[in-house]
């Protein structure tokens, strides 16, 4: 079985993003193989831990995958301030005589955005709405590399290592079966129910879990990397409660057209046509009878927005929500079937180097500085819940199809849902137990069968 077949069988998907099936991404030849270990958002701890702890395994796997991709350069990109992680990786590279370069990045947001990283490492710019492969690059997250290392040894994806950060005494690292409930983890972290808010992911692009019910229903998936715990009345929690209508109203009445949202937008700065100030300027006529050409002219640039959030969480002096407005009009462009031409060869705009947003400034702006911990978690706490709920859709593409029924006994590593036809991924049980529920949403497994 070749390496992509093994990766497909093991159900590996991108660990650091939306969950793109990895066997599809690696079915290519590339000039650069770039490993993303930049830990993009503030307060996330997981890439650092993986680099420190599994440096040898990462280097060995990257070296063999680079050969598989026929890559001329294999590069591990991480922040230059990650001194002990760089030392661990450098030692592993030396001792294995691996042909891998370490690229040290500045500490800015969004250093871990795939397209920004490609530019930083190669100087090339990915076309609008394009892929790194369009400029000869394959980019994988460091967590994905470790899942591939397991897949090569015929071990499927069953568990996830994630951090719990924010309003906790010090950051915690857990290893749990896929499908473990978020509430179970927070209980284990000693947090009392009803006293906190949670963001699934980082503060910029993570999903805010609204209310106790959403926290109760949330589970760890193949793409979960961090849970950010915050006081319920934190600025980020309050901001997330604003409705789209309210944000649009604020935009129409308070935007001063200063252009800061556009001038500091990282995608705009690498040459893409993203102009949130134009979207904001035109909001007043979004609901009028604009013909398709006018609508495209007013709002089409939103399609090139990657939702990094800098415009609304950092740039806007009025506290407005250009990212959310971009998201909104993107949906409207799609439902109206309006196509927007792509620039296939964008070039970087002047000032990019000076307009990178320092992570420390962003952290302060978000009201998170007091949660920055200098206590580095060294140990992962392994937990085994009594039950888990495994979603069938944890990846881009079609949901997986259940292959078990109520009452079946499964072991850790049993295939519980097979990849659907087309783009999809296999899903395995992370625990031994009895299947107690199979729905369109997912599969519940209980240790005791109750
Ligand atoms: S969210 Fe804002 S800053 Fe980020 S890409 Fe979109 S428009 Fe640019
Ligand atoms: S930064 Fe804020 S006020 Fe300035 S143009 Fe953008 S949305 Fe309007």
């Amino acid at each position: 079985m070749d390496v992509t077949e093994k990766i497909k069988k093991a159900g590996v998907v991108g660990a650091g993003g939306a969950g793109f099936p990895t066997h599809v991404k690696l079915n290519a030849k590339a000039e650069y193989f770039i490993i993303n270990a930049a830990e993009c958002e503030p307060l996330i701890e997981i890439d650092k831990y993986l680099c420190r702890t599994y440096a040898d395994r990462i280097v060995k796997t990257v070296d063999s995958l680079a050969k598989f991709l026929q890559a001329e350069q294999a590069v591990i990109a991480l922040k230059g301030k990650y001194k002990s992680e760089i030392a661990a990786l450098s030692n592993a590279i030396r001792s294995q005589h691996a042909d891998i370069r370490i690229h040290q990045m500045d500490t800015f947001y969004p250093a871990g955005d795939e397209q920004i990283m490609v530019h930083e490492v190669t100087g090339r710019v990915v076309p609008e709405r394009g892929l790194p492969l369009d400029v000869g690059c394959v980019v994988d997250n460091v967590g994905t590399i470790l899942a591939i290392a397991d897949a090569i040894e015929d071990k499927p994806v069953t568990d996830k290592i994630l951090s719990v950060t924010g309003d906790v005494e010090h950051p915690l690292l857990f290893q749990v079966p896929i499908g473990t409930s978020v509430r179970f983890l927070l209980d284990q972290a000693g947090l009392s129910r009803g006293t906190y808010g949670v963001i699934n992911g980082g503060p910029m692009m993570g999903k805010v879990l609204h209310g106790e019910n959403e926290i109760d229903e949330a589970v760890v998936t193949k793409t979960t990397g961090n849970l950010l715990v915050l006081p319920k009345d934190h600025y980020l929690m309050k901001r997330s409660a604003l409705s789209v209508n309210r944000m649009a109203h604020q935009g129409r009445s308070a935007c001063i057209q200063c252009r800061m949202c556009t001038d500091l937008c990282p995608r705009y700065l690498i040459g893409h046509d993203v102009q949130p100030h134009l979207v904001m300027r035109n909001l007043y006529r979004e609901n009028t009878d604009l013909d398709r050409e006018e609508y495209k002219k007013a709002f089409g640039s939103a399609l090139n927005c990657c939702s990094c959030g800098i415009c609304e969480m950092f740039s806007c002096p009025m506290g407005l929500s250009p990212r959310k407005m971009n998201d909104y009009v993107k949906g409207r462009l799609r439902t109206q079937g309006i196509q927007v031409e792509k620039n296939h060869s964008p070039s970087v705009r002047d000032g990019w180097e000076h307009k990178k947003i320092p992570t420390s400034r962003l952290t302060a702006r978000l009201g998170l500085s007091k949660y920055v911990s200098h206590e580095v978690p060294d140990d992962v706490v392994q937990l085994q819940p009594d039950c888990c709920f495994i979603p069938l859709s944890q990846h881009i593409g079609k949901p997986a199809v259940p292959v078990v029924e109520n009452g079946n006994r499964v072991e850790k590593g049993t295939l519980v849902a097979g990849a659907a036809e087309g783009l999809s991924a296999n899903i395995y049980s992370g625990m031994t137990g009895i299947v107690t529920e199979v729905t369109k949403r997912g599969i519940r497994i209980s240790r005791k069968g109750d």
Side-chain angles (χ1 to χ4, degrees), residues 315-357:
S315 313
C316 182
M318 304 301 287
L320 304 178
S321 310
R323 165 179 55 179
K324 289 283 171 16
M325 292 301 99
N326 272 352
D327 289 347
Y328 170 73
V329 295
K330 263 190 234 178
R332 296 269 291 145
L333 285 158
R334 288 194 186 111
T335 49
Q336 294 177 72
I338 297 176
Q339 304 286 328
V340 178
E341 301 74 25
K342 300 176 190 175
N343 179 356
H344 292 280
S345 44
S347 37
V348 177
R349 292 188 163 90
D350 287 344
W352 160 241
E353 282 301 324
H354 311 292
K355 289 181 178 170
K356 293 175 185 168
I357 308 299

Side-chain angles (χ1 to χ4, degrees), residues 254-261 277 280 315-318 320 322:
C255 175
I256 55 174
Q257 284 296 291
C258 66
R259 268 192 69 113
M260 289 296 282
C261 49
H277 76 286
M280 299 298 275
S315 313
C316 182
M318 304 301 287
L320 304 178

Side-chain angles (χ1 to χ4, degrees), residues 165-186:
T165 57
D167 199 14
V168 287
E169 220 166 284
H170 50 82
L172 296 159
L173 292 173
F174 290 112
Q175 180 170 0
V176 290
I178 304 286
T180 297
S181 100
V182 163
R183 179 72 76 186
F184 171 77
L185 275 172
L186 299 171

Side-chain angles (χ1 to χ4, degrees), residues 271-291:
H272 291 191
D273 178 25
V274 191
Q275 303 201 52
H277 76 286
L278 289 185
V279 170
M280 299 298 275
R281 182 191 298 171
N282 283 292
L283 277 179
Y284 77 96
R285 57 192 193 131
E286 199 274 327
N287 266 330
T288 59
D289 276 343
L290 285 183
D291 69 27

Side-chain angles (χ1 to χ4, degrees), residues 7-14 19-24 157 222 391-401 415 417-428:
I7 293 167
K8 180 179 180 185
K9 186 173 173 221
V12 181
V13 304
F20 191 82
T22 302
H23 65 277
V24 179
V157 179
K222 293 178 186 179
L392 296 173
S393 191
Q394 307 180 30
H395 47 260
I396 286 181
K398 294 182 192 156
V401 181
L415 181 75
E421 204 62 41
L423 194 63
S424 187
N426 285 337
I427 296 178
Y428 294 82

